[in-house]
Amino acid sequence: LIHFYKRNMSSKERPENGFEGRKGDFECRMLIPSKMAGSIIGKKGANIQMLRSEYSANIKLPDSPGPERIFSVAAPDAELVADIIEKTLPLMFGSEEEEKEEEIRLLIQTGAVGAIIGKGGHQIKQIRELSGASIKAYQNCAPQSSDRVVSIKGDRDTLIPALRLCLQVLVDNGQRGTSMPYDPANFDAFFAHEYG
């Protein structure tokens, strides 16, 4: 589940570590099952530290009391964000031994979801055709947030091209409206099927 937007903070707001809040960074938030978190983090944090070091990116996976957690990636541009997520897929789903369907869920500001769908559904249809992946934009926002789920399903050869196309649409259109990011602590099992 990825929440994607361009960070635009003043130099006074930037922490000294240099990564979080770098002016112009793009941040993605992906909702993942809590059981995947250990594989991404690695023993004593080895995997997530390797990704941070290799890409000079701010990558976080904070704990959550619910069944899902937020995997957050902030990097200078959308292409680099997609590269990091591509590198993370084997950690999330295991080594690709066969062509199996996998799913990543983007969490996108509701005002920007319309750009991915496009007029009359044209844009989302084009992304499906170009990538070969199955894409669904849920109508309802996640609980107590302004984020909506855009689900991408397919094998690994289709997931990343679809992700790159979605991110490019967001880069071209920007974020619209007030942002109230989803907190996985507000997970609602009863309504989960309605918001993704």
Side-chain angles (χ1 to χ4, degrees):
L1 202 43
I2 299 181
H3 179 71
F4 181 86
Y5 59 92
K6 190 166 186 175
R7 303 182 69 95
N8 192 9
M9 304 170 76
S10 72
S11 58
K12 291 181 181 177
E13 293 174 297
R14 285 180 233 161
E16 292 180 359
N17 65 25
F19 289 149
E20 186 172 4
R22 277 186 311 204
K23 192 170 182 179
D25 267 12
F26 290 97
E27 182 180 19
C28 296
R29 296 171 73 234
M30 182 188 311
L31 198 66
I32 64 164
S34 293
K35 62 185 179 183
M36 278 185 184
S39 300
I40 295 173
I41 294 169
K43 193 172 182 179
K44 295 184 178 179
N47 292 343
I48 201 166
Q49 291 291 356
M50 179 270 295
L51 290 168
R52 286 171 180 153
S53 175
E54 182 175 345
Y55 293 99
S56 295
N58 186 22
I59 304 171
K60 296 184 286 189
L61 186 52
D63 202 359
S64 170
E68 297 176 307
R69 290 166 70 168
I70 296 286
F71 177 47
S72 167
V73 179
D77 58 63
E79 280 295 311
L80 190 55
V81 166
D83 290 344
I84 294 166
I85 293 168
E86 182 174 21
K87 189 77 174 264
T88 308
L89 288 182
L91 302 176
M92 294 169 61
F93 299 108
S95 298
E96 190 177 20
E97 296 175 359
E98 56 184 289
E99 291 184 14
K100 59 180 180 179
E101 186 176 82
E102 298 165 350
E103 179 184 21
I104 52 179
R105 290 173 297 157
L106 315 183
L107 191 60
I108 297 169
Q109 165 69 16
T110 186
V113 172
I116 288 180
I117 296 170
K119 191 173 182 179
H122 173 75
Q123 185 69 57
I124 199 168
K125 182 182 177 185
Q126 188 174 48
I127 293 172
R128 287 180 187 129
E129 290 174 352
L130 288 171
S131 66
S134 171
I135 304 172
K136 177 180 180 179
Y138 285 82
Q139 290 190 337
N140 295 329
C141 288
Q144 300 178 47
S145 81
S146 59
D147 289 329
R148 285 165 60 186
V149 174
V150 174
S151 163
I152 304 176
K153 289 183 181 179
D155 60 33
R156 213 160 291 178
D157 289 338
T158 65
L159 281 181
I160 294 301
L163 173 67
R164 291 185 190 279
L165 289 166
C166 287
L167 295 188
Q168 190 56 52
V169 170
L170 295 174
V171 170
D172 293 343
N173 289 273
Q175 178 171 287
R176 302 168 187 175
T178 304
S179 175
M180 188 176 168
Y182 174 60
D183 182 342
N186 295 323
F187 174 81
D188 188 325
F190 187 75
F191 290 109
H193 67 284
E194 294 186 9
Y195 65 83

